[in-house]
Amino acid sequence: MPRPPRLLILDPAGVRREAVVTSFPFRIGRQTGNELVLRDSRISRQQAQLTMADGACILEDLGSRHGTFVNGERVNGQRSLSAKDSIDFGMPDSFKLVYLGDEATLEELIEQVEKPAPATPGAQGLYHLGVLLEVARTLGSGLSLEDVLSAVVDAAIRITRTERGVLLLTDEAGELQPSVARDSKGELIPIERLKISSGVLKRVATSRRELIVSDTGDEAAAVGQQASVASLSLLTIVAIPIEKLPVIASVDLTITSEEADLLGVLYLDSRSPSAAFTEIDREVVRTLAREAANVIENARLFASSRAKARLDHEIEIASQIQRELLPKTFPQIPHVAVTASTLACHSVGGDCFDVVALSGGRYGFFVGDVAGKGIAASLLATLLQGVFYTTAALDIPLGEVTKRVNQFLCERSSEDRYATLFYGVLDPAGNLEYINAGHVPPLVRRASHELVELPSANFPVGMFKEAEFTTEHVSLSAGDYVVIYSDGVSEARNMSDEMFEQERLSSLMQDFSGSSVEELAEAIRTGVRNFTGGAPQADDITMVVIQYKG
């Protein structure tokens, strides 16, 4: 019975191997899943295929980018192959194939290409160098992570002369999971059919030391006694830990080194005895493991970078939405001037403010400060602003507004998510009815420069569902200012970790000699900025400044 057709594969490094054509169509290309995978970014994903018709083997080009050539002639469509036909892909430094048919002998094989790696030390070194150069070329080819790791496994199989190679990577739980499994013919091994010595993997992962066992190796007897090794009839095992490069830190004159993270294990085995591994064999396999570690770590860093970029984009969208929900302009009120601003310490903030138009020429002024920072606080701040505005617009008593908002937050947020708020309603006569729910006391600056605090007599909202809220009153005269602010102002810190505090704010307001709310707001911002002296902003800074004109 004739043997199945075979292909001789000569890679750019001069290493040759043989592939048996066992099924048709036999696809050739760089994409994983082809029957013959050639890792060269210039070769098309699906370059060509072999089919059988009337007992003849037919080569068909699949619309490749650079073309498929037989004996130097480009294949247009299909071409019947004969033994010893040379196949290439239009590039002198890429893979070359020789179709051996079903009758070719080993002697004919030798006539086509030079012998592989002789056993002399110098030639052996050149062979190993060729393998490493092939891997290096693959690393720089822009292929997928799976293709690059497959190239590393194939190279390790050739170096160790084993039958199987498996690259196992650690998952989020720290468990080793098979990622790439190949045999000596360069074919994929289905994961479900994979059986590996768990004892060997555990030993290498725990000790972080390589394990190389052959029939002449020192550790053969000890490892051979393991049940998993015996059941698999393994005579050769190579297992190399793949570790992230160690991190070296220096504090003053003390240098410390942290243990490197285990990224995975490069595992190879064979049921046939192998010759003793030379030191150059071992060093090349170690080099392959280091290259795999670099590839894996770079891929993880890239994935992490992409995830961070996606998160940054989503945060920017959230920040934009949050800014758009804040008032862009303020109503023209005959008896009141108002301005407001907020500056988040991160991309999104936990502060909010709003102005609510009510009946009878009255207006409500609201400032909220959610506990915490970041995305969670910003989401709750946006929710708080929407719920409070909608409830306050009903023009019901202030205590009832705050009570409803408090119940809503208690029912829909966790216990550690609460907010302080200040809400004041000013009528045309200068009467300010307000409710302070755990917020820093706003300051009223009289025309005489006297300061009056509007303290809190209530719990923050979102803490206790049964909480009751009481209101207070203060009368404003023409020229009086009201500054409602968040604790990001009073708790702003400088380089010496000193806080701005209410005393400095009070002094600044008393010394203010301007005539508009915009000037007072800018004076406060400038005062905080000068005090902090470039220190990182630790909290959101929000202000609503009101002047009663009478």
Side-chain angles (χ1 to χ4, degrees), residues 141-212:
S141 63
L143 297 176
S144 68
L145 176 63
E146 181 183 358
D147 287 337
V148 172
L149 295 181
S150 295
V152 171
V153 173
D154 287 343
I157 291 174
R158 293 207 302 273
I159 293 296
T160 58
R161 301 170 290 282
T162 48
E163 296 176 346
R164 303 186 309 166
V166 184
L167 185 63
L168 302 101
L169 302 181
T170 54
D171 59 17
E172 293 182 356
E175 300 294 326
L176 289 168
Q177 302 294 340
S179 175
V180 176
R182 313 272 289 179
D183 62 19
S184 58
K185 297 178 182 178
E187 297 179 354
L188 292 173
I189 301 176
I191 300 299
E192 59 272 11
R193 285 172 36 199
L194 201 58
K195 294 182 180 180
I196 304 174
S197 172
S198 57
V200 169
L201 290 181
K202 182 177 180 181
R203 179 174 175 176
V204 172
T206 303
S207 68
R208 303 292 183 89
R209 295 178 58 189
E210 66 187 47
L211 178 66
I212 300 179

Side-chain angles (χ1 to χ4, degrees), residues 265-283:
V265 172
L266 178 59
Y267 172 92
L268 307 107
D269 65 21
S270 179
R271 290 168 294 181
S272 303
S274 296
F277 292 102
T278 65
E279 183 56 35
I280 191 173
D281 290 335
R282 295 169 182 261
E283 187 55 41

Side-chain angles (χ1 to χ4, degrees), residues 3-11 15-29 34-38 48-51 57-59 68-70 81-89 95-105 109 112-113 185 187:
R3 293 177 298 175
R6 292 169 297 143
L7 289 172
L8 172 66
I9 305 162
L10 184 66
D11 68 24
V15 179
R16 66 172 178 81
R17 58 189 172 95
E18 187 178 336
V20 180
V21 183
T22 56
S23 61
F24 294 97
F26 185 87
R27 294 164 299 175
I28 303 170
N34 289 313
E35 280 70 25
L36 177 58
V37 179
L38 304 177
Q49 68 178 12
L50 298 177
T51 57
C57 187
I58 307 297
L59 175 66
T68 305
F69 296 78
V70 175
L81 294 178
S82 302
K84 302 183 184 181
D85 277 347
S86 175
I87 304 169
D88 66 78
F89 308 103
F95 288 86
K96 298 186 187 308
L97 309 179
V98 177
Y99 178 66
L100 303 178
D102 55 6
E103 300 296 336
T105 65
L109 179 77
Q112 294 294 326
V113 295
K185 297 178 182 178
E187 297 179 354

